[in-house]
Amino acid sequence: MDLTPHLPALQVIVPMLFSPLVLLLKPRGLAWAGATAVALLSFAIALNMAIAVADGAHFKYDMGGWEAPYGIELSVGAFSALLLLIVTGAAAAALLASRPSVDRQIELERQPLFYSAWLLALAGLVGIVVSADAFNIFVFMEISSLASYVLIAGGPDRRALPAVFKYLIMGTIGATFYLIGVGLVYMMTGTLNLADMAARIGGVTDINPLLVAAGFITIGLALKAAVFPLHVWVPNAYAHAPHMVTVFLAACATKVAIYVLIRFDFWVFQANLEQHALQFSLFLMPLALLGILVASAVAVFEGHIKRLLAMSSVAQIGYIVLGASFVTESGLTAASSHMFNHALAKGGLFLAIAGLGYHYRDLSLAQLAGAARNMPWTAAAMVICGFSLIGIPGTAGFISKWLLINAALDEGRLAWVLVAIILVSSLMALAYVWRIIETLYFKTPVDEEAVHGEAPLQLLLVTWLVAIANIFFGLFPQFPLALSSAAAQLLLRQTL
Amino acid sequence: MIIIFALFLLSLLVITALAIVRTKNLFVAVMLTSIFSLLMAANFFILDAADVALTEAAVGAGITTVIFLSALALTVEREKKVRSGRRLAMVVVAILATIMIYATFDKPRLGDPEAPVHQHLAPWYLENTPVLMDFPNVVTAVLGSFRGYDTLGEVFVVFAASIGVLFILGVKPPEGSSYDPEASGLRHHLIPQVVGRLLIPFIVLFGLYVQFHGEYGPGGGFQAGALIASGVILYALLEGEAAALRAVPQSVLMGLVIGGACLYGAVGIVCVLLGGNFLEYSVLASDPAKGQQLGILLIEAGVGMAVCGALLTIFHAFAARPMRS
């Protein structure tokens, strides 16, 4: 039978239904193998859909056979296809590389639970991305959040527990705000399907509840997306999570929240509320700019490598939000392509850090001095991904920064301020990446006697795969770019 | 009359909420949250949402309270002094409340038949449920079939919670812990034991009734699972943790959780294999209405198993931790 029409459903169902089954895989290593196979299968499904979407296809799926708005609709267009690639790709790469690191950090008898939670987090994130129904998005937000709290709390580091508690409180507030907003829109339109909402909001005369709804939804999702200044949960959550969990979540979790924010806003509110585009820009652009500057500055002075890169993530989220806040096709193209490229760069960096973490218990920069002597391959991969993060030509990061500057130039009188801020923050990125390189290559080791080996081969291979992908997509950016610009057009046409 | 009663309940709700914020004693706070849930259940009932009321009473007032108490047994009863933020939090909450109240000025009147929510989807559901599924309870039809995918998601939320608790609390208790599984329970208290023992069979029976009667009256897998779990928890409280685990061992509980979630998913997959969409129960039998009934019966069974197993797993994970000395 032909499974192609079922792909959007299978994307979610495959990881979701396998997650309880992974619990049964008790013998050593089997849970890892099962989870990795499922993640790879999910990636294959996403790739399949992305290729079809790049050729102009648009997937729609009626859950339970009930047509929207009576049932729940799934929809995969260019924007969702791009996000699906990021999420499943990050999960597959991280799981593929995870075994040596997870074996060190998580006891054997708890590993089936760990991998089961991982698949749930994956299912939750892809479930959000494919859904075209406001309440269904909330349900999958709950699944992905609960599972990621579990993953972050899982490591041997006890400091993860207070970090995760903070994340839990903030995440719950964010999700509740989103739900309040959806409730208000439902009250005024009587529907939960996004396309149907957009169609019916036009006819609503008392728009105050809708304005409040737009506010709650924007702030709730901004909290989940760690938009400055709502990012306070990020540094510790990333720093104390098991290394492989950081790889997975840093590459995609906050991006999915931004995706919902952008999609909800453009599809439901932009065309229907007067002057909404202006308010959207006025609210998000200053936050994005502040976030870019402040978070980059904090990263320059941060002494712990994982927290440093977590702060850098907050700045990068600023770039994505900045692109979206232009409300232009070029801005949205830059934003979506930066989602893809940042996932590559940050994923690669955290993979390399997982390699360092295999030998170094303490990941503060002071302890990592001279690490490149023992681990030349890990350090080299880190340099490549670091260049991509800065936006050096020839790497993926360059492409989206270039697009972002181009988009900023269309902003009239503001253009030079925006370009200046992007350039200054790129210099700050150069500064903090250089601090890492300097530490790894040019500082003398704290403990001259200690000779560490290279990172485990499995981990190293995946790290290099991602590092090479950073160069590959810097030289041949056509495929993600095609998806990004199609996504931008889709967002501005406000069609699902 | 009903308005007065609703106003009375809502003001009690506000008073309880304020009391929860004010109290420094966590035991008192837990008891108050239980009262809050009970009041909330009454409110849902006034709004004719009997299904939700049932769930809120069983989960919110019953099981959550027991789990909170088990968690309190592991920590201390007094809240730590909070250094900052309480006043700021109050200000933020006040502002948010004002904004939300402002938003409700434009909301349709309660029960207004002209309100958008009563004009758009609801009439379609009311009209088509008897035709498409041949049973009267529209809530079950919406939860089980029209929005069955959401319900599947909620089952996995419960599943995520249970593996989370197992993963975080499931580590072995530290050496020299003061926990004696045989000593717990209320075995030496005659009256609670006699009364409790009488209650257990009725609770479980009522749970089964709610499970299988969901198509005709309020009920379904969530409520039934929670009710049956509360029966077993009552048994654990009376006879001790170890006795409850002998009656329903941990492996059975995990089997219920995994089996329930997989049963639900398997129904969806079978629908795909028979040529329908995922969770399109109509293809399960030659008569679409019979197929819908069969599908809903099966997935509700899955929900009931998963919820019951997950709640008991969470309870045992807390109860099996060593008590603080």
Side-chain angles (χ1 to χ4, degrees):
Chain A
M1 72 189 275
D2 181 22
L3 282 178
T4 317
H6 295 290
L7 283 180
L10 287 174
Q11 181 80 83
V12 187
I13 289 157
V14 167
M16 190 155 91
L17 292 189
F18 274 104
S19 84
L21 294 176
V22 165
L23 287 182
L24 301 173
L25 302 175
K26 288 278 197 291
R28 185 179 179 78
L30 221 54
W32 167 79
T36 309
V38 172
L40 286 171
L41 181 59
S42 303
F43 182 62
I45 294 174
L47 198 61
N48 225 314
M49 279 200 286
I51 290 170
V53 166
D55 284 343
H58 192 123
F59 290 88
K60 278 188 183 301
Y61 194 80
D62 292 331
M63 269 295 169
W66 305 115
E67 63 180 67
Y70 307 109
I72 294 167
E73 186 189 18
L74 306 185
S75 142
V76 177
F79 198 22
S80 12
L82 186 76
L83 260 291
L84 289 177
L85 275 185
I86 297 173
V87 174
T88 56
L95 273 173
L96 204 57
S98 70
R99 193 165 167 206
S101 180
V102 168
D103 276 348
R104 281 236 170 152
Q105 291 197 298
I106 288 159
E107 303 90 325
L108 195 61
E109 66 262 37
R110 292 207 296 162
Q111 281 188 10
L113 289 165
F114 177 78
Y115 287 116
S116 175
W118 190 310
L119 287 185
L120 271 183
L122 171 62
L125 291 171
V126 292
I128 295 171
V129 175
V130 299
S131 180
D133 184 279
F135 184 75
N136 190 244
I137 289 175
F138 173 75
V139 171
F140 281 89
M141 214 184 261
E142 280 183 279
I143 297 179
S144 68
S145 316
L146 274 180
S148 21
Y149 305 146
V150 175
L151 289 178
I152 293 175
D157 190 341
R158 301 291 290 172
R159 288 172 297 177
L161 293 175
V164 102
F165 186 69
K166 193 172 200 175
Y167 180 22
L168 189 148
I169 298 292
M170 303 287 264
T172 309
I173 293 175
T176 310
F177 274 26
Y178 172 79
L179 192 62
I180 290 173
V182 171
L184 288 170
V185 177
Y186 179 71
M187 182 174 85
M188 301 313 287
T189 60
T191 185
L192 291 168
N193 182 277
L194 292 183
D196 196 31
M197 257 184 197
R200 291 174 60 87
I201 278 185
V204 175
T205 42
D206 301 320
I207 62 159
N208 280 337
L210 295 178
L211 293 179
V212 174
F216 270 106
I217 289 172
T218 309
I219 294 179
L221 291 170
L223 234 171
K224 285 201 100 56
V227 172
F228 183 87
L230 304 170
H231 67 280
V232 283
W233 55 269
V234 171
N236 282 336
Y238 282 14
H240 303 310
H243 301 312
M244 298 319 294
V245 172
T246 316
V247 175
F248 174 42
L249 294 181
C252 61
T254 51
K255 292 185 187 70
V256 168
I258 302 188
Y259 160 86
V260 181
L261 172 60
I262 294 177
R263 202 167 87 136
F264 209 112
D265 204 273
F266 277 83
W267 279 333
V268 178
F269 295 131
Q270 290 280 6
N272 296 309
L273 299 180
E274 213 180 323
Q275 296 203 311
H276 186 78
L278 188 65
Q279 289 161 356
F280 181 76
S281 296
L282 276 182
F283 177 68
L284 284 177
M285 199 187 286
L287 291 187
L289 293 174
L290 268 176
I292 292 170
L293 289 176
V294 175
S296 301
V298 173
V300 172
F301 296 101
E302 177 58 56
H304 187 282
I305 194 165
K306 281 179 95 176
R307 292 165 64 100
L308 187 158
L309 290 175
M311 283 319 286
S312 145
S313 283
V314 176
Q316 305 292 324
I317 289 157
Y319 289 127
I320 299 170
V321 175
L322 181 66
S325 73
F326 296 157
V327 199
T328 59
E329 195 180 321
S330 53
L332 286 165
T333 309
S336 15
S337 91
H338 197 61
M339 285 187 181
F340 184 81
N341 294 333
H342 174 246
L344 279 180
K346 205 41 83 48
L349 281 166
F350 276 120
L351 275 167
I353 285 179
L356 292 175
Y358 193 76
H359 291 299
Y360 292 85
R361 283 185 68 98
D362 182 359
L363 286 174
S364 61
L365 284 176
Q367 292 295 316
L368 291 176
R373 286 177 214 180
N374 297 318
M375 312 175 77
W377 287 96
T378 306
M382 205 157 186
V383 171
I384 296 175
C385 297
F387 281 174
S388 184
L389 187 65
I390 303 166
I392 305 265
T395 58
F398 171 70
I399 307 289
S400 41
K401 278 222 174 136
W402 181 251
L403 289 173
L404 190 64
I405 290 178
N406 269 327
L409 285 174
D410 296 337
E411 287 299 294
R413 275 186 303 171
L414 264 178
W416 292 108
V417 182
L418 293 172
V419 173
I421 289 179
I422 294 171
L423 290 178
V424 167
S425 66
S426 296
L427 285 177
M428 290 201 272
L430 181 64
Y432 60 71
V433 171
W434 176 252
R435 268 186 77 209
I436 297 176
I437 296 174
E438 192 191 11
T439 310
L440 295 182
Y441 280 91
F442 303 116
K443 291 228 171 110
T444 39
V446 187
D447 184 5
E448 292 275 8
E449 303 294 307
V451 178
H452 300 302
E454 189 48 89
L457 188 65
Q458 188 182 357
L459 184 52
L460 199 60
L461 283 178
V462 179
T463 313
W464 267 92
L465 189 72
V466 177
I468 291 168
N470 269 295
I471 295 176
F472 179 81
F473 286 112
L475 301 174
F476 308 100
Q478 288 86 353
F479 185 62
L481 261 186
L483 281 181
S484 304
S485 70
Q489 286 165 11
L490 213 59
L491 284 169
L492 288 173
R493 265 193 285 128
Q494 286 128 9
T495 49
L496 280 167
Chain B
M1 187 57 209
I2 201 91
I3 291 290
I4 298 170
F5 195 52
L7 273 178
F8 174 68
L9 277 177
L10 284 173
S11 16
L12 273 183
L13 208 57
V14 173
I15 295 169
T16 317
L18 285 175
I20 295 173
V21 176
R22 302 262 334 149
T23 183
K24 297 267 189 253
N25 187 315
L26 294 176
F27 179 77
V28 175
V30 168
M31 288 298 133
L32 286 172
T33 51
S34 174
I35 293 172
F36 187 88
S37 287
L38 214 54
L39 288 170
M40 210 61 196
N43 268 312
F44 287 138
F45 202 78
I46 287 181
L47 294 172
D48 279 341
D51 297 74
V52 193
L54 206 57
T55 319
E56 181 68 42
V59 177
I63 293 177
T64 333
T65 312
V66 174
I67 292 176
F68 269 142
L69 289 177
S70 328
L72 268 190
L74 303 177
T75 58
V76 287
E77 230 167 67
R78 299 285 300 181
E79 193 180 332
K80 268 197 184 154
K81 272 222 163 26
V82 188
R83 261 166 290 162
S84 65
R86 188 166 265 196
R87 200 159 287 170
L88 179 72
M90 280 307 230
V91 172
V92 172
V93 169
I95 293 172
L96 287 174
T98 318
I99 295 174
M100 277 167 69
I101 291 168
Y102 170 71
T104 57
F105 287 157
D106 285 345
K107 92 173 174 51
R109 201 170 45 78
L110 186 66
D112 182 0
E114 297 300 312
V117 280
H118 300 306
Q119 290 291 319
H120 187 39
L121 299 185
W124 189 89
Y125 287 142
L126 289 173
E127 198 178 307
N128 286 293
T129 301
V131 184
L132 292 167
M133 297 171 199
D134 196 22
F135 61 72
N137 190 354
V138 183
V139 177
T140 298
V142 173
L143 292 182
S145 183
F146 297 124
R147 297 189 70 89
Y149 181 55
D150 273 348
T151 309
L152 174 67
E154 294 292 1
V155 169
F156 276 85
V157 171
V158 175
F159 172 69
S162 68
I163 59 170
V165 170
L166 275 186
F167 184 61
I168 293 168
L169 288 186
V171 281
K172 290 192 194 84
E175 293 292 316
S177 58
S178 61
Y179 174 63
D180 173 12
E182 298 293 340
S184 57
L186 295 172
R187 226 168 311 169
H188 308 295
H189 300 262
L190 193 59
I191 292 170
Q193 209 193 358
V194 170
V195 178
R197 272 203 180 152
L198 272 176
L199 271 177
I200 293 172
F202 287 105
I203 293 177
V204 174
L205 193 65
F206 182 57
L208 290 172
Y209 166 80
V210 167
Q211 169 83 53
F212 292 107
H213 200 253
E215 290 158 26
Y216 302 98
F222 277 100
Q223 295 88 335
L227 282 168
I228 295 173
S230 65
V232 179
I233 289 178
L234 183 59
Y235 181 69
L237 294 178
L238 294 174
E239 298 290 328
E241 156 79 5
L245 270 181
R246 269 197 299 276
V248 193
Q250 189 69 42
S251 55
V252 172
L253 294 180
M254 273 331 275
L256 278 176
V257 179
I258 297 172
C262 288
L263 174 62
Y264 201 145
V267 172
I269 300 276
V270 168
C271 294
V272 173
L273 294 178
L274 290 177
N277 272 2
F278 189 71
L279 296 176
E280 186 171 350
Y281 315 131
S282 301
V283 296
L284 290 176
S286 49
D287 176 12
K290 287 275 173 297
Q292 288 288 342
Q293 289 179 2
L294 178 64
I296 291 176
L297 188 76
L298 287 173
I299 63 119
E300 290 285 8
V303 174
M305 282 162 65
V307 168
C308 179
L311 288 173
L312 286 174
T313 306
I314 293 172
F315 169 74
H316 283 306
F318 276 102
R321 295 284 290 183
M323 298 289 170
R324 104 197 107 90
S325 47

